[in-house]
Amino acid sequence: MPGQDASHVALAVGLAASAALAFAVATVTEQRAAAQSSDRDARGRKFLGQLVRNPRWLAAMGGNIVGYGLQAAALGVGSVVVVQPILVTSLVFALPLSAHLSHRRMAWTSISWGILLAAALAVFVVLGDPRHGVDHASTGDWLVVTLVVTPLVVACLVISHPLSGAARASLLAVAVGLLGGVLAVLTKAVVASAGQGLVHLLVTSETYGLAVVGLAGAYVQQLAFQAGDLHASLPILTVLEPVVAVLLGLTVLREDLTARGGQLVVLLLSVGVMTVATLALARAQAVSVGRPTDVSAGRAG
């Protein structure tokens, strides 16, 4: 298929930006809710029960559902290579929201990084001019992805289990980032299957893969947010998820970037700026949210 139609790209960008806004509102709420559980509860059966009884967490899940719906719609009309990087702009929305709720001003450094991120994204989308690949990865490609990703996720979970604090949060964030990248590719496939009717959707293995990966990723993310300060988990999962998604888009979905020569150099520079800006904004968001002092006190017992 030739390069994506400009109207489709514009629609995908708009939907992805709207998803980023919904995710930002949900994340600001979700992070505080997950941190209210103790380390002991997070390793036991009480954790899920505590979350579902928390009105703040339930509201955050509603926001996540809206965001995911918009993300799915964006992936339905655009490529993974375009949509996933745009979702990191949720940080641009989340920081001023956190500042407003905390009754403080947003730092100029964060504003500057936000502007750089937006500019780098614009360069990436315009110069990259991603070509649409296929909607479904082959069975062989999914087998390779499964054999690579599953052991990595399991290793993160096993190694992190006896740990606490930043070490545990960081390892869990790696698992979340890996699962999130795979989820994006599965979402694109399921959206395409849904367009062919309910029967086709129900007999497609990717539909069930989406359910498993989505639920696993959501649960591990709560564990990561609970385990330690957000600066240990948020930068990792925020950067790793789009990186994994883009790599899978370029490989298993056969998407392509049209930039060559000098444009490719500029494109790579924009990716570098996006990565650094995302890390800086994720750290700023982690600091702005922090961990409630009353929660820290409650854990002492």
Side-chain angles (χ1 to χ4, degrees):
M1 182 176 178
Q4 297 180 67
D5 181 82
S7 62
H8 284 184
V9 174
L11 179 58
V13 169
L15 288 169
S18 299
L21 176 58
F23 283 136
V25 175
T27 298
V28 170
T29 306
E30 178 185 359
Q31 289 165 345
R32 289 180 171 88
Q36 292 177 353
S37 294
S38 69
D39 289 338
R40 179 182 298 177
D41 290 343
R43 289 172 169 82
R45 299 177 181 178
K46 293 182 178 180
F47 187 50
L48 280 178
Q50 289 176 344
L51 290 178
V52 298
R53 289 194 299 270
N54 189 324
R56 180 183 291 177
W57 186 83
L58 292 175
M61 290 304 99
N64 280 327
I65 290 172
V66 172
Y68 182 68
L70 290 167
Q71 178 189 1
L75 289 169
V77 296
S79 67
V80 173
V81 173
V82 167
V83 173
Q84 291 308 118
I86 291 174
L87 291 180
V88 302
T89 58
S90 62
L91 293 169
V92 178
F93 298 122
L95 280 169
L97 177 60
S98 294
H100 174 72
L101 293 175
S102 302
H103 305 289
R104 57 179 172 73
R105 293 183 178 180
M106 186 174 168
W108 276 107
T109 52
S110 296
I111 295 174
S112 300
W113 282 120
I115 293 172
L116 279 175
L117 176 60
L121 277 170
V123 171
F124 180 81
V125 172
V126 173
L127 287 187
D129 187 23
R131 294 181 181 274
H132 229 317
V134 297
D135 292 325
H136 301 272
S138 67
T139 302
D141 284 336
W142 274 127
L143 179 61
V144 172
V145 171
T146 302
L147 291 175
V148 172
V149 173
T150 302
L152 292 174
V153 171
V154 172
C156 289
L157 296 177
V158 172
I159 296 172
S160 69
H161 185 72
L163 304 177
S164 61
R168 174 172 165 81
S170 297
L171 282 169
L172 291 172
V174 172
V176 175
L178 292 169
L179 292 170
V182 175
L183 183 66
V185 178
L186 286 168
T187 299
K188 185 169 183 63
V190 170
V191 169
S193 296
Q196 300 179 49
L198 180 61
V199 174
H200 187 78
L201 179 66
L202 293 177
V203 300
T204 300
S205 59
E206 288 154 325
T207 302
Y208 304 98
L210 175 73
V212 172
V213 173
L215 290 173
Y219 181 67
V220 177
Q221 180 168 292
Q222 308 312 307
L223 294 177
F225 286 164
Q226 182 281 330
D229 291 338
L230 288 173
H231 68 256
S233 59
L234 193 61
I236 294 173
L237 66 89
T238 303
V239 171
L240 188 57
E241 180 176 331
V243 168
V244 172
V246 168
L247 287 176
L248 291 177
L250 292 173
T251 53
V252 303
L253 296 185
R254 311 295 189 265
E255 296 176 357
D256 187 26
L257 296 172
T258 60
R260 299 291 185 271
Q263 286 188 339
L264 181 59
V265 174
V266 175
L267 188 70
L268 293 175
L269 288 174
S270 73
V271 172
V273 173
M274 285 164 53
T275 302
V276 174
T278 299
L279 283 169
L281 289 171
R283 290 194 180 100
Q285 171 65 4
V287 171
S288 72
V289 174
R291 294 173 73 78
T293 55
D294 58 330
V295 174
S296 298
R299 287 182 183 166

